[in-house]
Amino acid sequence: MRILSGIQPSGVMHVGNYLGAVKQWVTHQSADSLYCIVDLHALTLELDPSVLREQTIDTLATLVAAGLDPDVCTLFLQSRIAFHAQLNWLLECVATFGELSRMTQFKEKAERKGGYRVGLFTYPVLMAADILLYDTERVPVGDDQLQHLELTREIAERFNNRYGDTFTLPEGMLPPSGARVMDLQEPTHKMSKSVASPLGQITLLDDPRDIERKISRAVTDTDGEVRVDWENKPGVSNLLEIYAGFSDESPHDVARRYERYGELKHDLAELVISSLSPIAQRYRELRADPGALQSVLDAGSLKATHVAATTYQRAARAMGLYAPGA
Ligand code: TYM
């Protein structure tokens, strides 16, 4: 089963990224899975070039520390493979302005900031190119990417109808728990790298004291009963969801074991600390050897290029371009 997914090198990874995406990547890694650091997507943000470069290596080190093994799966950098940008163009000539205008993430981000970059608008087309280039069957992502994935399928289907069968139609893959982790301070908002709320997000590199502090201060409610109820008790429901994501249980099963918020928070902090501490430790070791990390990117990008070239050329030929191999 061909699996592909991606993450932006846009800051330190948080438990939403981990539970929604990366933990699944680790579980499902095989010779047929590809994981991509999407540095081209990060150009839609306002990042200083030196920061982007640092964060790209930080992201790679975090992914390996979290359990991705470059000898098992393919870990690569999007910008190393020019076919992503090339297929993006072909697909921009298939996607419509109207469908891109309907993307929720675009609307939210555009609202936050006037004068946004055109890349922010066309972002989902590049994501479609990332996925379709590798004949991807499954895309493990958090809930916030499902709309982009649906658009990818629509673009692929339209392409296949218009130009002949070219692309595999991908399907999303959500984790059983943790597909949508919310901010600990504002549990009606998604935990996010771009929304600055230091107490609201737990990162993979937080030290144990910070993790404990953030969880103990997480917003709950005054009703006092531990149960899953997203509408009336988003804070407690989110804590149960995070617990379940780490312990591979259902949030309802976790809820049944607790009478009081204090106990739940105490045990959750212990669980998160024991899960994340080895990752942070491994990260520090890996980060001390940037040369080895560069080699991982070199090897992964070389492996990915072969697959990407074949699909790109198939698509280009189908559209009437003189691509090699006709
Ligand atoms: P990005 O970098 O924002 O996030 C990476 C992954 O983390 C998931 N995620 C969450 N999951 C649960 N709860 C949250 N609060 C949370 N926040 C983030 C995201 O769903 C994602 O799976 N557009 C993508 C990157 C991308 C991509 C791709 C993904 C580019 N090309 C091709 C899959 C396939 C993004 O910005 O992810």
Side-chain angles (χ1 to χ4, degrees):
M1 170 99 62
R2 173 64 53 81
I3 290 180
L4 176 133
S5 198
I7 185 162
Q8 294 195 64
S10 51
V12 186
M13 248 179 254
H14 53 64
V15 298
N17 300 127
Y18 181 67
L19 296 178
V22 176
K23 188 167 177 256
Q24 302 195 77
W25 300 3
V26 173
T27 310
H28 296 288
Q29 66 184 321
S30 76
D32 222 12
S33 48
L34 302 112
Y35 302 115
C36 181
I37 298 174
V38 293
D39 53 347
L40 294 176
H41 277 103
L43 295 179
T44 59
L45 308 164
E46 280 172 27
L47 283 179
D48 187 84
S50 61
V51 172
L52 175 58
R53 267 197 290 274
E54 280 295 295
Q55 287 182 175
T56 299
I57 294 297
D58 291 345
T59 302
L60 175 63
T62 312
L63 291 174
V64 177
L68 287 182
D69 181 347
D71 291 330
V72 173
C73 63
T74 302
L75 258 172
F76 71 103
L77 190 57
Q78 183 188 34
S79 64
R80 286 282 181 91
I81 299 176
F83 297 115
H84 287 251
Q86 285 180 279
L87 184 61
N88 171 66
W89 178 253
L90 303 193
L91 300 181
E92 279 193 19
C93 296
V94 175
T96 68
F97 187 86
E99 62 196 353
L100 291 182
S101 311
R102 284 193 287 277
M103 293 294 110
T104 314
Q105 284 215 334
F106 164 72
K107 287 196 282 191
E108 282 172 5
K109 287 184 183 164
E111 222 170 69
R112 257 184 261 149
K113 191 167 164 35
Y116 52 80
R117 304 173 179 200
V118 177
L120 195 63
F121 182 67
T122 56
Y123 178 112
V125 184
L126 180 58
M127 178 164 161
D130 300 338
I131 296 169
L132 300 178
L133 259 184
Y134 297 94
D135 297 326
T136 305
E137 295 167 270
R138 292 281 185 284
V139 187
V141 282
D143 163 274
D144 63 338
Q145 296 301 318
L146 288 183
Q147 195 188 28
H148 290 158
L149 211 59
E150 196 43 49
L151 177 71
T152 302
R153 286 174 62 88
E154 278 164 25
I155 294 175
E157 257 184 315
R158 193 175 311 143
F159 190 107
N160 288 349
N161 288 336
R162 201 175 284 169
Y163 301 110
D165 208 18
T166 305
F167 294 124
T168 303
L169 297 190
E171 275 174 36
M173 210 168 119
L174 293 185
S177 307
R180 189 171 185 84
V181 174
M182 310 307 273
D183 188 287
L184 298 178
Q185 289 297 311
E186 288 184 70
T188 51
H189 290 112
K190 189 182 74 170
M191 189 180 283
S192 153
K193 283 181 277 196
S194 50
V195 178
S197 135
L199 272 180
Q201 56 164 290
I202 298 171
T203 82
L204 265 53
L205 307 178
D206 277 352
D207 70 46
R209 264 191 329 225
D210 285 334
I211 296 177
E212 211 184 319
R213 193 164 56 98
K214 289 175 184 179
I215 292 177
S216 71
R217 295 210 197 155
V219 167
T220 52
D221 53 63
T222 50
D223 133 308
E225 195 192 334
V226 179
R227 65 169 201 279
V228 181
D229 177 349
W230 281 103
E231 205 184 325
N232 300 305
K233 301 166 67 68
V236 174
S237 305
N238 191 36
L239 295 177
L240 291 166
E241 185 81 18
I242 297 173
Y243 194 123
F246 277 102
S247 66
D248 294 317
E249 292 169 274
S250 93
H252 296 280
D253 287 343
V254 177
R256 260 181 236 122
R257 294 204 297 273
Y258 290 95
E259 305 258 301
R260 296 217 299 270
Y261 296 166
E263 294 165 5
L264 170 66
K265 285 182 163 181
H266 172 271
D267 288 4
L268 175 61
E270 273 194 354
L271 174 64
V272 176
I273 290 168
S274 66
S275 309
L276 297 187
S277 293
I279 298 179
Q281 169 66 26
R282 181 94 183 95
Y283 168 85
R284 283 190 289 274
E285 291 160 15
L286 290 160
R287 197 62 185 85
D289 188 355
L293 292 168
Q294 291 278 1
S295 316
V296 167
L297 283 187
D298 291 344
S301 304
L302 197 67
K303 268 202 273 177
T305 301
H306 295 300
V307 189
T310 314
T311 319
Y312 171 75
Q313 283 157 9
R314 193 166 72 226
R317 279 198 306 275
M319 289 183 97
L321 303 177
Y322 276 100

mmCIF file of all heavy atoms in Angstrom, residues 135-171:
data_model
loop_
_atom_site.group_PDB
_atom_site.id
_atom_site.type_symbol
_atom_site.label_atom_id
_atom_site.label_comp_id
_atom_site.label_asym_id
_atom_site.label_seq_id
_atom_site.Cartn_x
_atom_site.Cartn_y
_atom_site.Cartn_z
ATOM 1 N N ASP A 135 1.598 8.113 -6.915
ATOM 2 C CA ASP A 135 0.548 7.081 -7.008
ATOM 3 C C ASP A 135 0.058 6.666 -5.619
ATOM 4 O O ASP A 135 -0.114 5.471 -5.315
ATOM 5 C CB ASP A 135 1.060 5.850 -7.769
ATOM 6 C CG ASP A 135 1.418 6.177 -9.213
ATOM 7 O OD1 ASP A 135 0.742 7.047 -9.809
ATOM 8 O OD2 ASP A 135 2.378 5.578 -9.741
ATOM 9 N N THR A 136 -0.158 7.666 -4.785
ATOM 10 C CA THR A 136 -0.483 7.426 -3.375
ATOM 11 C C THR A 136 -1.872 6.832 -3.201
ATOM 12 O O THR A 136 -2.842 7.284 -3.816
ATOM 13 C CB THR A 136 -0.411 8.778 -2.624
ATOM 14 O OG1 THR A 136 0.879 9.338 -2.855
ATOM 15 C CG2 THR A 136 -0.676 8.598 -1.147
ATOM 16 N N GLU A 137 -1.954 5.810 -2.333
ATOM 17 C CA GLU A 137 -3.265 5.225 -2.028
ATOM 18 C C GLU A 137 -3.832 5.738 -0.708
ATOM 19 O O GLU A 137 -5.024 5.930 -0.561
ATOM 20 C CB GLU A 137 -3.136 3.693 -1.979
ATOM 21 C CG GLU A 137 -2.772 3.101 -3.342
ATOM 22 C CD GLU A 137 -2.330 1.655 -3.225
ATOM 23 O OE1 GLU A 137 -1.109 1.402 -3.040
ATOM 24 O OE2 GLU A 137 -3.201 0.775 -3.293
ATOM 25 N N ARG A 138 -2.954 5.921 0.286
ATOM 26 C CA ARG A 138 -3.420 6.394 1.599
ATOM 27 C C ARG A 138 -2.586 7.581 2.072
ATOM 28 O O ARG A 138 -1.364 7.573 1.929
ATOM 29 C CB ARG A 138 -3.261 5.306 2.664
ATOM 30 C CG ARG A 138 -4.165 4.132 2.489
ATOM 31 C CD ARG A 138 -5.589 4.413 2.980
ATOM 32 N NE ARG A 138 -6.399 3.206 2.906
ATOM 33 C CZ ARG A 138 -6.897 2.708 1.782
ATOM 34 N NH1 ARG A 138 -6.689 3.318 0.638
ATOM 35 N NH2 ARG A 138 -7.615 1.599 1.796
ATOM 36 N N VAL A 139 -3.288 8.573 2.649
ATOM 37 C CA VAL A 139 -2.613 9.777 3.142
ATOM 38 C C VAL A 139 -2.933 9.953 4.634
ATOM 39 O O VAL A 139 -4.029 10.415 4.983
ATOM 40 C CB VAL A 139 -3.081 11.023 2.349
ATOM 41 C CG1 VAL A 139 -2.254 12.243 2.741
ATOM 42 C CG2 VAL A 139 -2.987 10.790 0.848
ATOM 43 N N PRO A 140 -2.028 9.564 5.516
ATOM 44 C CA PRO A 140 -2.286 9.745 6.950
ATOM 45 C C PRO A 140 -2.127 11.204 7.374
ATOM 46 O O PRO A 140 -1.031 11.766 7.312
ATOM 47 C CB PRO A 140 -1.225 8.860 7.630
ATOM 48 C CG PRO A 140 -0.164 8.613 6.601
ATOM 49 C CD PRO A 140 -0.744 8.899 5.251
ATOM 50 N N VAL A 141 -3.231 11.811 7.777
ATOM 51 C CA VAL A 141 -3.239 13.237 8.143
ATOM 52 C C VAL A 141 -4.201 13.466 9.304
ATOM 53 O O VAL A 141 -5.017 12.599 9.628
ATOM 54 C CB VAL A 141 -3.742 14.139 6.987
ATOM 55 C CG1 VAL A 141 -2.696 14.374 5.937
ATOM 56 C CG2 VAL A 141 -5.028 13.586 6.379
ATOM 57 N N GLY A 142 -4.125 14.651 9.886
ATOM 58 C CA GLY A 142 -5.122 15.079 10.852
ATOM 59 C C GLY A 142 -6.361 15.561 10.110
ATOM 60 O O GLY A 142 -6.342 15.782 8.886
ATOM 61 N N ASP A 143 -7.411 15.747 10.870
ATOM 62 C CA ASP A 143 -8.724 16.111 10.346
ATOM 63 C C ASP A 143 -8.704 17.405 9.510
ATOM 64 O O ASP A 143 -9.425 17.541 8.523
ATOM 65 C CB ASP A 143 -9.604 16.206 11.604
ATOM 66 C CG ASP A 143 -10.874 16.927 11.412
ATOM 67 O OD1 ASP A 143 -10.862 18.155 11.538
ATOM 68 O OD2 ASP A 143 -11.880 16.259 11.125
ATOM 69 N N ASP A 144 -7.822 18.352 9.857
ATOM 70 C CA ASP A 144 -7.822 19.653 9.161
ATOM 71 C C ASP A 144 -7.369 19.547 7.701
ATOM 72 O O ASP A 144 -7.547 20.487 6.941
ATOM 73 C CB ASP A 144 -6.945 20.673 9.905
ATOM 74 C CG ASP A 144 -5.479 20.264 9.954
ATOM 75 O OD1 ASP A 144 -5.181 19.063 9.810
ATOM 76 O OD2 ASP A 144 -4.622 21.145 10.134
ATOM 77 N N GLN A 145 -6.804 18.411 7.308
ATOM 78 C CA GLN A 145 -6.338 18.283 5.923
ATOM 79 C C GLN A 145 -7.340 17.543 5.029
ATOM 80 O O GLN A 145 -7.095 17.362 3.834
ATOM 81 C CB GLN A 145 -4.987 17.546 5.870
ATOM 82 C CG GLN A 145 -3.860 18.315 6.556
ATOM 83 C CD GLN A 145 -3.642 19.699 5.938
ATOM 84 O OE1 GLN A 145 -3.658 19.858 4.728
ATOM 85 N NE2 GLN A 145 -3.458 20.697 6.789
ATOM 86 N N LEU A 146 -8.466 17.119 5.602
ATOM 87 C CA LEU A 146 -9.395 16.309 4.800
ATOM 88 C C LEU A 146 -9.990 17.069 3.621
ATOM 89 O O LEU A 146 -10.187 16.514 2.543
ATOM 90 C CB LEU A 146 -10.523 15.758 5.683
ATOM 91 C CG LEU A 146 -10.104 14.637 6.640
ATOM 92 C CD1 LEU A 146 -11.317 14.128 7.411
ATOM 93 C CD2 LEU A 146 -9.429 13.486 5.894
ATOM 94 N N GLN A 147 -10.233 18.354 3.823
ATOM 95 C CA GLN A 147 -10.801 19.131 2.715
ATOM 96 C C GLN A 147 -9.803 19.221 1.557
ATOM 97 O O GLN A 147 -10.176 19.106 0.393
ATOM 98 C CB GLN A 147 -11.204 20.526 3.208
ATOM 99 C CG GLN A 147 -12.103 21.235 2.221
ATOM 100 C CD GLN A 147 -12.356 22.693 2.579
ATOM 101 O OE1 GLN A 147 -11.518 23.341 3.218
ATOM 102 N NE2 GLN A 147 -13.506 23.206 2.179
ATOM 103 N N HIS A 148 -8.527 19.402 1.888
ATOM 104 C CA HIS A 148 -7.501 19.443 0.836
ATOM 105 C C HIS A 148 -7.404 18.092 0.114
ATOM 106 O O HIS A 148 -7.159 18.031 -1.091
ATOM 107 C CB HIS A 148 -6.132 19.786 1.439
ATOM 108 C CG HIS A 148 -6.034 21.199 1.922
ATOM 109 N ND1 HIS A 148 -5.118 21.610 2.850
ATOM 110 C CD2 HIS A 148 -6.755 22.303 1.600
ATOM 111 C CE1 HIS A 148 -5.265 22.905 3.077
ATOM 112 N NE2 HIS A 148 -6.255 23.346 2.339
ATOM 113 N N LEU A 149 -7.616 17.057 0.865
ATOM 114 C CA LEU A 149 -7.529 15.720 0.279
ATOM 115 C C LEU A 149 -8.713 15.464 -0.660
ATOM 116 O O LEU A 149 -8.567 14.853 -1.722
ATOM 117 C CB LEU A 149 -7.553 14.712 1.429
ATOM 118 C CG LEU A 149 -6.779 13.461 1.169
ATOM 119 C CD1 LEU A 149 -5.332 13.785 0.893
ATOM 120 C CD2 LEU A 149 -6.869 12.569 2.395
ATOM 121 N N GLU A 150 -9.868 15.943 -0.254
ATOM 122 C CA GLU A 150 -11.056 15.806 -1.099
ATOM 123 C C GLU A 150 -10.823 16.560 -2.420
ATOM 124 O O GLU A 150 -11.130 16.063 -3.504
ATOM 125 C CB GLU A 150 -12.259 16.378 -0.325
ATOM 126 C CG GLU A 150 -13.611 16.005 -0.853
ATOM 127 C CD GLU A 150 -13.727 14.531 -1.249
ATOM 128 O OE1 GLU A 150 -13.346 13.643 -0.459
ATOM 129 O OE2 GLU A 150 -14.181 14.295 -2.386
ATOM 130 N N LEU A 151 -10.229 17.739 -2.309
ATOM 131 C CA LEU A 151 -9.925 18.522 -3.516
ATOM 132 C C LEU A 151 -8.927 17.757 -4.400
ATOM 133 O O LEU A 151 -9.062 17.729 -5.628
ATOM 134 C CB LEU A 151 -9.347 19.885 -3.122
ATOM 135 C CG LEU A 151 -8.921 20.756 -4.298
ATOM 136 C CD1 LEU A 151 -10.141 21.272 -5.070
ATOM 137 C CD2 LEU A 151 -8.074 21.944 -3.845
ATOM 138 N N THR A 152 -7.952 17.132 -3.780
ATOM 139 C CA THR A 152 -6.972 16.344 -4.534
ATOM 140 C C THR A 152 -7.680 15.264 -5.363
ATOM 141 O O THR A 152 -7.383 15.063 -6.536
ATOM 142 C CB THR A 152 -5.958 15.671 -3.564
ATOM 143 O OG1 THR A 152 -5.315 16.691 -2.802
ATOM 144 C CG2 THR A 152 -4.937 14.848 -4.308
ATOM 145 N N ARG A 153 -8.624 14.592 -4.733
ATOM 146 C CA ARG A 153 -9.373 13.546 -5.454
ATOM 147 C C ARG A 153 -10.171 14.141 -6.615
ATOM 148 O O ARG A 153 -10.227 13.572 -7.703
ATOM 149 C CB ARG A 153 -10.345 12.824 -4.514
ATOM 150 C CG ARG A 153 -9.667 11.870 -3.541
ATOM 151 C CD ARG A 153 -10.708 11.312 -2.560
ATOM 152 N NE ARG A 153 -11.735 10.544 -3.251
ATOM 153 C CZ ARG A 153 -11.636 9.251 -3.525
ATOM 154 N NH1 ARG A 153 -10.581 8.577 -3.139
ATOM 155 N NH2 ARG A 153 -12.612 8.616 -4.161
ATOM 156 N N GLU A 154 -10.761 15.304 -6.362
ATOM 157 C CA GLU A 154 -11.559 15.925 -7.435
ATOM 158 C C GLU A 154 -10.680 16.327 -8.614
ATOM 159 O O GLU A 154 -11.043 16.119 -9.768
ATOM 160 C CB GLU A 154 -12.323 17.138 -6.896
ATOM 161 C CG GLU A 154 -13.597 16.718 -6.194
ATOM 162 C CD GLU A 154 -14.192 17.799 -5.311
ATOM 163 O OE1 GLU A 154 -13.923 18.993 -5.578
ATOM 164 O OE2 GLU A 154 -14.911 17.444 -4.354
ATOM 165 N N ILE A 155 -9.518 16.878 -8.304
ATOM 166 C CA ILE A 155 -8.597 17.277 -9.384
ATOM 167 C C ILE A 155 -8.140 16.036 -10.159
ATOM 168 O O ILE A 155 -8.112 16.018 -11.389
ATOM 169 C CB ILE A 155 -7.385 18.046 -8.806
ATOM 170 C CG1 ILE A 155 -7.821 19.385 -8.201
ATOM 171 C CG2 ILE A 155 -6.314 18.258 -9.864
ATOM 172 C CD1 ILE A 155 -6.706 20.157 -7.488
ATOM 173 N N ALA A 156 -7.812 14.983 -9.421
ATOM 174 C CA ALA A 156 -7.326 13.756 -10.060
ATOM 175 C C ALA A 156 -8.411 13.145 -10.950
ATOM 176 O O ALA A 156 -8.153 12.725 -12.083
ATOM 177 C CB ALA A 156 -6.884 12.752 -9.006
ATOM 178 N N GLU A 157 -9.632 13.141 -10.440
ATOM 179 C CA GLU A 157 -10.732 12.557 -11.221
ATOM 180 C C GLU A 157 -10.988 13.362 -12.490
ATOM 181 O O GLU A 157 -11.185 12.805 -13.571
ATOM 182 C CB GLU A 157 -12.009 12.547 -10.372
ATOM 183 C CG GLU A 157 -12.292 11.170 -9.827
ATOM 184 C CD GLU A 157 -13.599 11.096 -9.054
ATOM 185 O OE1 GLU A 157 -13.852 12.007 -8.224
ATOM 186 O OE2 GLU A 157 -14.334 10.133 -9.275
ATOM 187 N N ARG A 158 -10.966 14.678 -12.345
ATOM 188 C CA ARG A 158 -11.186 15.538 -13.510
ATOM 189 C C ARG A 158 -10.088 15.318 -14.541
ATOM 190 O O ARG A 158 -10.333 15.224 -15.735
ATOM 191 C CB ARG A 158 -11.226 17.000 -13.060
ATOM 192 C CG ARG A 158 -11.762 17.954 -14.111
ATOM 193 C CD ARG A 158 -11.888 19.364 -13.549
ATOM 194 N NE ARG A 158 -12.577 19.366 -12.272
ATOM 195 C CZ ARG A 158 -12.258 20.164 -11.252
ATOM 196 N NH1 ARG A 158 -11.276 21.038 -11.356
ATOM 197 N NH2 ARG A 158 -12.923 20.104 -10.118
ATOM 198 N N PHE A 159 -8.868 15.230 -14.057
ATOM 199 C CA PHE A 159 -7.729 15.000 -14.949
ATOM 200 C C PHE A 159 -7.922 13.667 -15.696
ATOM 201 O O PHE A 159 -7.793 13.597 -16.933
ATOM 202 C CB PHE A 159 -6.417 14.976 -14.138
ATOM 203 C CG PHE A 159 -5.169 14.978 -14.974
ATOM 204 C CD1 PHE A 159 -4.368 16.115 -15.063
ATOM 205 C CD2 PHE A 159 -4.770 13.847 -15.694
ATOM 206 C CE1 PHE A 159 -3.209 16.125 -15.844
ATOM 207 C CE2 PHE A 159 -3.634 13.852 -16.477
ATOM 208 C CZ PHE A 159 -2.844 14.994 -16.550
ATOM 209 N N ASN A 160 -8.232 12.622 -14.930
ATOM 210 C CA ASN A 160 -8.395 11.298 -15.541
ATOM 211 C C ASN A 160 -9.515 11.295 -16.580
ATOM 212 O O ASN A 160 -9.401 10.663 -17.640
ATOM 213 C CB ASN A 160 -8.693 10.241 -14.470
ATOM 214 C CG ASN A 160 -7.466 9.915 -13.624
ATOM 215 O OD1 ASN A 160 -6.343 10.317 -13.964
ATOM 216 N ND2 ASN A 160 -7.655 9.200 -12.527
ATOM 217 N N ASN A 161 -10.606 11.994 -16.284
ATOM 218 C CA ASN A 161 -11.720 12.043 -17.239
ATOM 219 C C ASN A 161 -11.345 12.801 -18.505
ATOM 220 O O ASN A 161 -11.710 12.419 -19.609
ATOM 221 C CB ASN A 161 -12.945 12.725 -16.617
ATOM 222 C CG ASN A 161 -13.599 11.830 -15.582
ATOM 223 O OD1 ASN A 161 -13.435 10.600 -15.635
ATOM 224 N ND2 ASN A 161 -14.293 12.425 -14.626
ATOM 225 N N ARG A 162 -10.586 13.871 -18.300
ATOM 226 C CA ARG A 162 -10.266 14.742 -19.437
ATOM 227 C C ARG A 162 -9.128 14.180 -20.292
ATOM 228 O O ARG A 162 -9.151 14.268 -21.505
ATOM 229 C CB ARG A 162 -9.880 16.116 -18.890
ATOM 230 C CG ARG A 162 -10.010 17.236 -19.867
ATOM 231 C CD ARG A 162 -9.726 18.571 -19.202
ATOM 232 N NE ARG A 162 -10.807 19.062 -18.364
ATOM 233 C CZ ARG A 162 -10.684 20.093 -17.521
ATOM 234 N NH1 ARG A 162 -9.531 20.723 -17.382
ATOM 235 N NH2 ARG A 162 -11.713 20.487 -16.808
ATOM 236 N N TYR A 163 -8.116 13.639 -19.632
ATOM 237 C CA TYR A 163 -6.879 13.269 -20.345
ATOM 238 C C TYR A 163 -6.564 11.778 -20.337
ATOM 239 O O TYR A 163 -5.502 11.364 -20.801
ATOM 240 C CB TYR A 163 -5.684 14.023 -19.733
ATOM 241 C CG TYR A 163 -5.827 15.521 -19.791
ATOM 242 C CD1 TYR A 163 -6.039 16.261 -18.628
ATOM 243 C CD2 TYR A 163 -5.758 16.208 -21.014
ATOM 244 C CE1 TYR A 163 -6.171 17.637 -18.666
ATOM 245 C CE2 TYR A 163 -5.898 17.587 -21.064
ATOM 246 C CZ TYR A 163 -6.099 18.297 -19.893
ATOM 247 O OH TYR A 163 -6.233 19.657 -19.940
ATOM 248 N N GLY A 164 -7.459 10.983 -19.782
ATOM 249 C CA GLY A 164 -7.189 9.534 -19.721
ATOM 250 C C GLY A 164 -6.631 9.156 -18.364
ATOM 251 O O GLY A 164 -6.082 9.983 -17.639
ATOM 252 N N ASP A 165 -6.782 7.875 -18.038
ATOM 253 C CA ASP A 165 -6.441 7.387 -16.710
ATOM 254 C C ASP A 165 -4.957 7.605 -16.395
ATOM 255 O O ASP A 165 -4.094 6.997 -17.014
ATOM 256 C CB ASP A 165 -6.787 5.894 -16.655
ATOM 257 C CG ASP A 165 -7.108 5.487 -15.249
ATOM 258 O OD1 ASP A 165 -7.388 6.379 -14.435
ATOM 259 O OD2 ASP A 165 -7.060 4.272 -14.971
ATOM 260 N N THR A 166 -4.676 8.486 -15.449
ATOM 261 C CA THR A 166 -3.291 8.861 -15.150
ATOM 262 C C THR A 166 -2.965 8.729 -13.674
ATOM 263 O O THR A 166 -1.907 8.232 -13.294
ATOM 264 C CB THR A 166 -3.052 10.333 -15.588
ATOM 265 O OG1 THR A 166 -3.407 10.462 -16.968
ATOM 266 C CG2 THR A 166 -1.598 10.752 -15.384
ATOM 267 N N PHE A 167 -3.887 9.192 -12.828
ATOM 268 C CA PHE A 167 -3.591 9.261 -11.396
ATOM 269 C C PHE A 167 -4.388 8.247 -10.578
ATOM 270 O O PHE A 167 -5.548 7.972 -10.885
ATOM 271 C CB PHE A 167 -3.931 10.661 -10.861
ATOM 272 C CG PHE A 167 -3.061 11.755 -11.418
ATOM 273 C CD1 PHE A 167 -3.629 12.853 -12.052
ATOM 274 C CD2 PHE A 167 -1.683 11.689 -11.309
ATOM 275 C CE1 PHE A 167 -2.837 13.867 -12.563
ATOM 276 C CE2 PHE A 167 -0.878 12.696 -11.804
ATOM 277 C CZ PHE A 167 -1.451 13.787 -12.438
ATOM 278 N N THR A 168 -3.764 7.772 -9.520
ATOM 279 C CA THR A 168 -4.444 6.956 -8.512
ATOM 280 C C THR A 168 -5.235 7.896 -7.600
ATOM 281 O O THR A 168 -4.740 8.969 -7.242
ATOM 282 C CB THR A 168 -3.382 6.225 -7.659
ATOM 283 O OG1 THR A 168 -2.567 5.468 -8.543
ATOM 284 C CG2 THR A 168 -3.992 5.335 -6.600
ATOM 285 N N LEU A 169 -6.450 7.505 -7.230
ATOM 286 C CA LEU A 169 -7.231 8.353 -6.325
ATOM 287 C C LEU A 169 -6.883 8.013 -4.866
ATOM 288 O O LEU A 169 -7.089 6.885 -4.429
ATOM 289 C CB LEU A 169 -8.733 8.155 -6.553
ATOM 290 C CG LEU A 169 -9.281 8.542 -7.920
ATOM 291 C CD1 LEU A 169 -10.817 8.511 -7.914
ATOM 292 C CD2 LEU A 169 -8.810 9.920 -8.365
ATOM 293 N N PRO A 170 -6.360 8.993 -4.140
ATOM 294 C CA PRO A 170 -5.915 8.724 -2.770
ATOM 295 C C PRO A 170 -7.042 8.812 -1.744
ATOM 296 O O PRO A 170 -8.038 9.496 -1.973
ATOM 297 C CB PRO A 170 -4.921 9.862 -2.521
ATOM 298 C CG PRO A 170 -5.487 10.997 -3.330
ATOM 299 C CD PRO A 170 -6.149 10.391 -4.532
ATOM 300 N N GLU A 171 -6.860 8.125 -0.638
ATOM 301 C CA GLU A 171 -7.819 8.247 0.463
ATOM 302 C C GLU A 171 -7.119 8.707 1.726
ATOM 303 O O GLU A 171 -5.976 8.317 1.972
ATOM 304 C CB GLU A 171 -8.458 6.890 0.743
ATOM 305 C CG GLU A 171 -9.629 6.624 -0.159
ATOM 306 C CD GLU A 171 -10.169 5.224 0.005
ATOM 307 O OE1 GLU A 171 -10.165 4.710 1.129
ATOM 308 O OE2 GLU A 171 -10.569 4.667 -1.026
#
